[in-house]
Amino acid sequence: MVVAVLAVQGAFAEHERMLDKLGIPYVELRKKEDLQKGYDGIILPGGESTVQGKLLLELGMYDAIKQQIKAGMPVLATCAGLILLADFIENDDREYFKTLPVTVKRNAYGRQLGSFHTEQEFKGLGNIPMTFIRAPYITEVSEGVEVLAKVDGNIVAVRYQNQLAMAFHPELDEDERIHKCFVQMITEASGTRP
Amino acid sequence: MENRYKLNKELAQMLKGGVIMDVTTPEQAKIAEAAGACAVMALERIPADIRAAGGVSRMSDPKMIKGIQNAVSIPVMAKCRIGHFVEAQLLEAIEIDYIDESEVLSPADDVYHIDKTKFKVPFVCGAKDLGEALRRISEGASMIRTKGEPGTGDVVQAVRHMRKMNSEIAKIKAMREDELFNEAKLLQVPYDLVLYVHENGKLPVVNFAAGGVATPADAALMMQLGAEGVFVGSGIFKSGNPEKRAAAIVKSVTNYTDASLIASLSEDLGEAMVGINEQEIELLMAERGK
């Protein structure tokens, strides 16, 4: 099993550190040629969605990754990654992959003073640490989208088919359960062993 | 505050691999955002103009900063003078995302830096070497950048500062543990920070390059030397084609080892900022605040 980490901008090294801890090999996606490397799942990390979205397009990776996601390749998306997947962004005209039928609100908690850390229930995993950095949240979900976590009544994590997306950053804390859950998704999708 | 400090270091982690651009108007901020800036630094005059105008330079008009905050969705940073904790309080009051306690402005205090542990908003500070970096971190900085020499378009000092920091980190990493106490004394920094560098081989916060970056190749040079991202000040809006140059620098930072890509990005960028050589400058801003 190999996981691809989108590495155009943001906290991709933190996801790679998690994969290292789990003993999962990974490749970085920085340009079109990297898409030939061969991988079984994709991580879309935190960072600035405006930067990542623009670079995906201009470095020639957008169409191919969108097709891979639509074809069922497992995706783990955190913070900016969630914004890249969402069908609609409530407070922004920009649009990216549009493979996840939810509406998100960018910078939903305001500026950096609104960033926070909490521990809350995540469906099937129990309480997990959640770090929100200038984070979005989900304001609407379509049918078929499973809500996995809410904080103060707002949806912060969902699963839809092959896509696992959240507004917080599991890669910043030491808890490995979300990444293990993603590895499990890849195993189920490809029938290979981790 | 411990939790707050961690969150503030983590915002810097989200900026990694990105370019932070100096802007002086909401229009420039929008150009920077559209070109792929991961954050903007709001200031009244870019360093090259501060250098040309001379005189005392201070924190920008809060109204101008708010205008930029309203114009873009990416984080907005702003500068306060070294030691001017009231300017920092004002920036916190308008909910700035990051404060740069910066040598680009005229220092307000020639002995003390701001006690940044007293603030909820994060601070980035400049450093020429490891001692300066660790002193700023012990005062509460959650991000470090090289000082470089702002407003010159000359990358030599940023290179010097990055190399110095790297070699000092490598030296501490190779030391015996019983040598760390004396090293802390020599660097005039707390022992626990020296121990962190010894164990991890890096600073405990994100480290960007700044000062004199003017071309995609300059930015890639700093990344190859170990910077985790790049600040570009005068280099963009003092050049012939800011949009194109800004976008090229952003891509160059993402693919900083791909020489053929950077070569094609460097074509037809128009005129780079004119620049001043280190020897021609009368005021070394990097010597402010140690």
Side-chain angles (χ1 to χ4, degrees):
Chain A
M1 177 191 301
V2 177
V3 172
V5 183
L6 182 69
V8 291
Q9 189 273 328
F12 49 87
E14 288 74 0
H15 279 288
E16 293 168 1
R17 184 186 64 105
M18 273 291 182
L19 294 170
D20 276 336
K21 279 167 75 177
L22 298 179
I24 307 288
Y26 59 83
V27 292
E28 291 189 345
L29 305 181
R30 290 174 184 266
K31 56 187 171 185
K32 199 174 181 179
E33 296 78 65
D34 295 338
L35 300 174
Q36 309 303 319
K37 284 175 175 171
Y39 43 86
D40 311 295
I42 304 176
I43 293 180
L44 303 176
E48 282 302 320
S49 60
T50 53
V51 184
Q52 296 178 356
K54 179 184 155 70
L55 288 170
L56 274 169
L57 205 59
E58 294 182 4
L59 295 169
M61 295 191 282
Y62 171 82
D63 288 327
I65 293 179
K66 179 167 178 168
Q67 286 319 310
Q68 287 169 340
I69 297 172
K70 286 181 112 172
M73 183 176 285
V75 186
L76 170 64
T78 61
C79 196
L82 163 65
I83 294 168
L84 294 183
L85 292 181
D87 266 1
F88 300 103
I89 308 172
E90 191 177 291
N91 49 348
D92 199 327
D93 299 334
R94 281 168 274 237
E95 47 184 52
Y96 307 103
F97 291 128
K98 291 171 76 84
T99 53
L100 182 67
V102 303
T103 301
V104 296
K105 185 176 179 188
R106 279 189 70 200
N107 301 333
Y109 299 95
R111 304 184 193 284
Q112 174 62 4
L113 283 173
S115 294
F116 65 101
H117 179 86
T118 182
E119 290 209 1
Q120 304 268 331
E121 172 80 14
F122 190 101
K123 197 171 172 185
L125 298 180
N127 268 13
I128 63 159
M130 299 181 182
T131 299
F132 293 83
I133 306 286
R134 282 175 50 96
Y137 59 65
I138 296 167
T139 54
E140 268 184 75
V141 296
S142 299
E143 214 174 322
V145 176
E146 186 183 9
V147 173
L148 299 173
K150 284 186 176 186
V151 171
D152 300 331
N154 298 312
I155 301 168
V156 296
V158 294
R159 176 161 177 186
Y160 177 70
Q161 298 169 357
N162 55 320
Q163 302 171 62
L164 179 62
M166 57 215 66
F168 58 92
H169 293 280
E171 74 279 14
L172 292 177
D173 292 298
E174 295 307 314
D175 196 298
E176 298 161 6
R177 282 175 289 173
I178 300 256
H179 286 79
K180 280 185 177 158
C181 185
F182 177 57
V183 169
Q184 183 66 29
M185 280 169 66
I186 299 175
T187 309
E188 284 164 11
S190 60
T192 58
R193 290 173 176 284
Chain B
M1 288 305 268
E2 186 49 42
N3 187 10
R4 202 69 237 166
Y5 183 57
K6 186 166 181 282
L7 290 166
N8 287 341
K9 287 201 290 187
E10 287 167 343
L11 175 58
Q13 285 174 259
M14 295 303 140
L15 301 174
K16 283 187 302 179
V19 180
I20 300 168
M21 303 182 193
D22 278 2
V23 297
T24 59
T25 63
E27 292 68 36
Q28 284 186 356
K30 282 183 185 153
I31 292 172
E33 183 178 44
C38 67
V40 291
M41 177 75 70
L43 71 175
E44 227 144 43
R45 281 183 300 195
I46 54 174
D49 291 336
I50 291 174
R51 191 174 280 289
V56 175
S57 57
R58 310 177 178 90
M59 184 192 88
S60 299
D61 183 338
K63 187 176 171 187
M64 167 267 185
I65 297 170
K66 283 188 201 161
I68 289 171
Q69 285 176 316
N70 292 330
V72 294
S73 62
I74 53 179
V76 177
M77 304 182 166
K79 292 181 192 289
C80 73
R81 283 179 267 177
I82 289 173
H84 206 316
F85 51 85
V86 174
E87 283 186 351
Q89 289 164 3
L90 306 190
L91 291 173
E92 180 169 74
I94 61 170
E95 297 197 19
I96 203 76
D97 290 302
Y98 241 97
I99 297 176
D100 185 356
E101 187 184 15
S102 176
E103 68 283 0
V104 169
L105 306 182
S106 306
D109 193 316
D110 51 11
V111 179
Y112 301 105
H113 279 72
I114 296 170
D115 177 0
K116 294 166 273 289
T117 64
K118 297 288 188 288
F119 288 78
K120 291 194 188 77
V121 291
F123 280 81
V124 54
C125 287
K128 297 197 299 294
D129 53 41
L130 185 61
E132 281 188 17
L134 296 181
R135 284 195 290 280
R136 297 298 86 77
I137 292 166
S138 72
E139 294 157 3
S142 41
M143 179 178 183
I144 291 293
R145 54 171 176 76
T146 59
K147 282 179 168 173
E149 193 49 38
T152 60
D154 186 356
V155 80
V156 63
Q157 303 229 20
V159 168
R160 187 184 298 150
H161 300 161
M162 190 58 78
R163 281 192 184 271
K164 177 107 187 278
M165 224 180 285
N166 288 344
S167 73
E168 288 171 319
I169 288 171
K171 185 180 129 199
I172 287 178
K173 194 166 182 237
M175 278 179 172
R176 281 169 51 98
E177 267 185 33
D178 58 6
E179 296 169 343
L180 300 177
F181 300 97
N182 188 57
E183 188 63 18
K185 185 179 78 182
L186 295 175
L187 289 175
Q188 298 177 279
V189 299
Y191 166 76
D192 58 341
L193 290 178
V194 175
L195 182 63
Y196 182 94
V197 171
H198 173 70
E199 286 175 344
N200 297 279
K202 63 186 197 64
L203 292 180
V205 303
V206 166
N207 187 16
F208 268 46
V213 175
T215 67
D218 286 350
L221 173 68
M222 296 313 302
M223 292 298 288
Q224 287 197 26
L225 285 173
E228 295 180 281
V230 174
F231 283 85
V232 186
S234 317
I236 290 173
F237 289 101
K238 274 284 161 192
S239 73
N241 188 343
E243 289 92 340
K244 197 171 175 191
R245 181 169 295 268
I249 291 175
V250 169
K251 287 198 202 79
S252 173
V253 166
T254 296
N255 283 293
Y256 60 91
T257 56
D258 186 338
S260 55
L261 177 71
I262 300 170
S264 69
L265 290 170
S266 304
E267 286 178 13
D268 292 326
L269 288 183
E271 213 162 317
M273 72 176 287
V274 177
I276 327 166
N277 287 309
E278 182 188 18
Q279 297 78 5
E280 301 165 358
I281 333 173
E282 287 174 11
L283 171 67
L284 274 179
M285 290 175 175
E287 293 306 314
R288 291 168 165 174
K290 290 178 185 175

